[in-house]
Amino acid sequence: MRARWSLMTSMLLFAVAALSVTPVQGQSEVGQQQNAPCESPEYRQFDFWIGEWTVQNPQGKAAGTSVITRVLNDCAIHEEWHSAASAFAGNSYNIYDRATKTWHQTWVDNSGLLLQLEGEFKDGKMVLVGERPGTDGTTVLNRITWHAVAPDSVRQVWDNSADGGKTWEGQFDGLYVRKRR
């Protein structure tokens, strides 16, 4: 009986060991997809914004600093913003959704604001739009546009509309200038 138990135990241990080193069918394909799932050119459309930046207002005064990096296996872009004039700070995640063929941004900041935008890269510009309730309960449309001005500068313009996009009011106009190392 003891020899039988030992043989069964050995066979069971061998089977467990074999399963732990033998890849499950399809596992290698999944691993390959996870290594480079975001290689298509659409995922690189916002790369002009990646870098370490000082940001100036239209008068040339410091508005803040921003660090933009690729994260999550190069599938998303992370922004870390710090205002020059106050303790205001915020972060965003930006990603291309291949299923809907749109870009998305989720912005959160230390004032409690959540802003969710979506849009596309077209004619050399990234344009993302999203709705939020205004302070008076009406719907406010937010539109943020980024475009490369030169290899080491990017302009970002944020406009709001309270009339469904008929008229726009500027909220932020910043020139991102790449920091020299």
Side-chain angles (χ1 to χ4, degrees):
M1 176 78 144
R2 185 177 179 135
R4 186 180 206 195
W5 174 258
S6 182
L7 178 62
M8 288 176 58
T9 303
S10 295
M11 289 174 58
L12 180 61
L13 289 173
F14 177 78
V16 168
L19 285 174
S20 68
V21 295
T22 304
V24 176
Q25 183 179 11
Q27 184 176 7
S28 61
E29 292 89 5
V30 171
Q32 289 172 355
Q33 289 172 356
Q34 289 176 348
N35 287 339
C38 304
E39 285 188 347
S40 68
E42 293 83 4
Y43 285 93
R44 304 288 83 83
Q45 291 173 331
F46 215 172
D47 282 3
F48 65 87
W49 195 35
I50 294 172
E52 292 185 39
W53 308 93
T54 56
V55 184
Q56 304 169 355
N57 67 20
Q59 292 75 39
K61 296 194 182 214
T65 60
S66 197
V67 176
I68 317 295
T69 56
R70 284 209 151 279
V71 294
L72 302 173
N73 208 20
D74 288 345
C75 289
I77 295 174
H78 176 249
E79 168 193 17
E80 188 174 351
W81 165 263
H82 294 278
S83 173
S86 67
F88 179 74
N91 282 245
S92 73
Y93 279 96
N94 305 266
I95 189 166
Y96 178 76
D97 181 353
R98 73 177 138 235
T100 62
K101 298 185 182 347
T102 57
W103 274 89
H104 297 270
Q105 181 181 89
T106 298
W107 163 269
V108 294
D109 62 39
N110 62 354
S111 75
L113 177 68
L114 167 66
L115 186 61
Q116 296 176 309
L117 308 167
E118 66 178 35
E120 65 181 334
F121 181 77
K122 186 176 180 182
D123 299 327
K125 296 180 179 183
M126 181 65 70
V127 181
L128 304 178
V129 179
E131 293 181 345
R132 269 194 59 71
T135 54
D136 61 357
T138 61
T139 299
V140 175
L141 196 57
N142 294 275
R143 177 183 65 195
I144 304 179
T145 304
W146 296 260
H147 70 279
V149 177
D152 290 324
S153 61
V154 171
R155 185 168 180 218
Q156 176 184 335
V157 177
W158 177 7
D159 297 307
N160 284 349
S161 175
D163 58 11
K166 293 175 187 165
T167 61
W168 294 92
E169 182 180 330
Q171 299 301 305
F172 178 80
D173 186 345
L175 181 65
Y176 286 62
V177 178
R178 192 176 306 278
K179 289 183 179 181
R180 301 288 179 211
R181 292 184 184 236

